[in-house]
Amino acid sequence: MSRYLSELMSPQLMAVIYLFLAFVAALYLLAVAYVCIDARRRGAPIWWLWGIIALIPFVGLLAYLVFRPTSYERDREEQELDLMLRERELAHFGSCPQCGTGIERDFVVCPMCNTQVRNVCPSCHKPLEAAWKVCPWCRTHIQ
């Protein structure tokens, strides 16, 4: 049996086997490096622990892929900033032309500098846009 095995294991076949084993080892090390780098980017507080878990062949990488955070930390920060910006835009209708303070939709004057920012209906005293010719609340014609 060993004679057949020695005949089968030619130097070329041994080189192919060694190259294959080196390729598998390189993939294994790259997978561990990927887990460490990706866990750090995703903001995992103990990213190094994921690297240690990834040292367990196949199981560590699969565990990381199942339990990793869903998005990158930078993306979450950008989403939070975008949400805060949208909330601010919805809260403020515009800004005061005099001082730049945020003005809400129903403000008639700026609360900081007392500059008039909207017209007022003479009948119902509701704020009006500058281009309106009729008050939409009481049908009073504006001049």
Side-chain angles (χ1 to χ4, degrees):
M1 174 99 156
S2 82
R3 188 182 75 169
Y4 296 122
L5 191 58
S6 66
E7 286 179 12
L8 185 63
M9 292 296 177
S10 67
Q12 293 85 6
L13 183 61
M14 290 301 291
V16 168
I17 290 173
Y18 288 144
L19 283 174
F20 178 74
L21 290 176
F23 178 73
V24 170
L27 279 179
Y28 172 71
L29 292 175
L30 286 173
V32 172
Y34 165 77
V35 167
C36 291
I37 293 169
D38 192 60
R40 180 183 275 178
R41 282 187 186 161
R42 290 180 187 269
I46 47 175
W47 59 269
W48 51 270
L49 183 61
W50 279 114
I52 294 172
I53 291 171
L55 289 173
I56 304 169
F58 304 111
V59 176
L61 179 63
L62 287 175
Y64 175 71
L65 292 176
V66 170
F67 294 114
R68 71 181 177 178
T70 56
S71 62
Y72 291 114
E73 186 175 24
R74 183 176 289 169
D75 291 340
R76 287 192 302 269
E77 290 171 358
E78 189 173 316
Q79 289 169 353
E80 289 172 9
L81 286 173
D82 188 40
L83 183 61
M84 289 187 331
L85 179 64
R86 288 176 191 257
E87 287 174 352
R88 184 172 181 225
E89 286 175 354
L90 290 175
H92 298 292
F93 181 67
S95 59
C96 174
Q98 187 71 27
C99 67
T101 303
I103 303 296
E104 292 186 16
R105 186 176 302 272
D106 57 346
F107 283 6
V108 177
V109 296
C110 174
M112 297 301 281
C113 66
N114 200 25
T115 302
Q116 183 174 350
V117 291
R118 304 260 187 302
N119 294 329
V120 180
C121 176
S123 177
C124 67
H125 303 290
K126 296 223 178 183
L128 303 173
E129 295 294 324
W132 290 354
K133 303 292 181 201
V134 176
C135 176
W137 291 277
C138 68
R139 294 185 179 176
T140 303
H141 289 279
I142 310 300
Q143 296 165 354

